[in-house]
């Protein structure tokens, strides 16, 4: 018994923010952003729209794409670093929007690696026969909590809002299709290299004017350290997955790396010696949508006909934590 993805869908808020738009808000340039990251545009929500709203829209599309009804879903796994509320998590919010009272809803918080962690959890539940139709949904609204002054320009230009979802179901065919493996990694020694410090119950109150003045509510990153580690850990995770399945890089039809920076994706491709035509790269239009970036790219790659039945698909991500991982699938 394996887990197959039977439906995909994505949704991004309609408002497109260009590099030129950001030039008006901080000391940056289209040239700098494109050269350093490959990003041209990203999508931002308008007021009052949260990541659960985007996740709901993506879920509706994935459910339709799978040819099932929302009422067929028996479990929800929601990945995000930008939940609507501190608690409860997005899982129950999306469950309520879909009108599915009673079914379990689990929240996964593994930052840019969130989708791979969530997919791995879904895979375990499907293979053990616990659930038969799991909605895995990753959704992010980053734009409302970025520092658009020069202090935060490294991150403010990188992140975008968006969501994507997949439906996971059991498959016991002889064809060997499905998730072949997932490998999950983390190294908590690097927590402070990319994090958001407040609100935190370690503080009483969880944040103060003084903390807001120090801008601790915004994500902070040591860009170079994150960049270097992403370029090392993602190829390692891909190779671990391939070796585990007795596959080589030549067997891979499509690689979807987390869209953190196009220079990182190119470096990962170079290290793995995989041709760039086999690597999905859509960061130019979306920026870094954290947990949503891989499933958005997957949904687009499928729409573009870049994956055929039985192709080997590899997903890999790296992000805050540090966390990283890979998933190998026979499509
Ligand atoms: O999903 C995981 C999360 N994040 C990532 O994977 C991101 C990983 N890191 C990166 O993508 C890159 O480190 C960045 C794109 C963030 C930065 O690129 P870089 O080539 O590492 O630039 P840098 O940090 O070395 O900065 C070079 C200069 C600095 O100025 P000085 O100190 O040399 O005068 C920065 O202040 O560029 C400046 N800078 C900017 N300039 C214009 C930083 N951000 C900007 C900006 N516009 N938006």
């Amino acid at each position: 018994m394996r887990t197959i993805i039977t439906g995909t869908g994505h949704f991004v808020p309609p408002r497109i923010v260009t590099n030129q738009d950001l030039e008006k808000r901080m000391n940056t340039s289209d040239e700098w952003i494109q050269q350093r990251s490959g990003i041209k545009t990203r999508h931002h929500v308008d007021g009052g729209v949260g990541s659960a709203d985007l996740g709901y829209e993506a879920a509706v599309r994935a459910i339709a794409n799978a040819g099932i009804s929302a009422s067929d879903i028996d479990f929800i796994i929601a990945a995000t670093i930008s939940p609507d509320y501190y608690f409860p998590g997005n899982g129950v919010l999306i469950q309520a929007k879909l009108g599915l009272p009673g079914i379990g809803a689990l929240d996964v918080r593994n930052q840019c690696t969130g989708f791979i962690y969530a997919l791995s959890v879904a895979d375990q539940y499907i293979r053990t026969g616990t659930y038969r139709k799991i909605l895995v949904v990753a959704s992010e609204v980053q734009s409302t909590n970025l520092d658009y002054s020069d202090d935060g320009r490294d991150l403010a230009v990188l992140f975008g809002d968006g969501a994507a979802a997949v439906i996971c179901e059991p498959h016991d065919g002889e064809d060997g299709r499905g998730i072949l493996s997932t490998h999950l990694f983390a190294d908590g020694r690097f927590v402070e290299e990319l994090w958001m410090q407040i609100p935190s119950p370690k503080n009483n109150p969880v944040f103060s004017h003084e903390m807001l003045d120090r801008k601790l509510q915004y994500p902070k990153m040591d860009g170079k350290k994150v960049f270097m580690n992403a370029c090392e850990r993602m190829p390692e995770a891909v190779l671990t997955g391939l070796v585990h399945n007795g596959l080589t890089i030549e067997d891979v039809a499509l690689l979807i790396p987390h869209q953190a920076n196009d220079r990182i994706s190119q470096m990962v491709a170079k290290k793995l010696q995989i041709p760039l035509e086999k690597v999905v790269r859509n960061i130019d239009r979306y920026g870094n949508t954290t947990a949503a970036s891989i499933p958005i790219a997957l949904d687009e790659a499928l729409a573009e006909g870049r994956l055929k039945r039985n192709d080997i698909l590899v997903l890999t991500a790296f992000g805050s934590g540090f966390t990283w991982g890979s998933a190998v699938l026979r499509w």
Side-chain angles (χ1 to χ4, degrees), residues 26-29 32-33 36-37 112 150 152-159 194 221-228 230 258-261 263-264 288 290 318-320:
M26 66 191 87
N27 182 17
T28 191
S29 68
W32 191 97
I33 300 171
R36 302 292 176 124
S37 71
C112 300
D150 287 1
R153 62 184 179 168
D154 55 338
L155 279 171
V157 302
L158 292 184
F159 285 117
L194 177 49
M221 169 175 79
D222 181 332
K224 282 201 189 315
K225 215 171 255 179
V226 174
F227 191 103
M228 275 164 38
H258 164 53
Q259 308 289 299
N261 181 323
R263 287 192 296 143
I264 295 178
N288 179 348
T290 325
F318 178 86
S320 156

Side-chain angles (χ1 to χ4, degrees), residues 296-318:
I296 291 176
L298 172 62
D299 192 40
E300 284 202 338
L302 288 166
E304 291 162 10
R306 294 180 70 178
L307 260 182
K308 299 189 306 294
R309 188 163 276 211
N310 289 313
D311 274 353
I312 294 295
L313 165 68
V314 181
L315 316 176
T316 186
F318 178 86

Side-chain angles (χ1 to χ4, degrees), residues 10-23:
H10 81 273
F11 179 79
V12 289
R15 185 158 62 90
I16 294 173
V17 175
T18 64
N19 293 344
Q20 288 79 8
D21 293 331
L22 294 176
E23 282 175 1

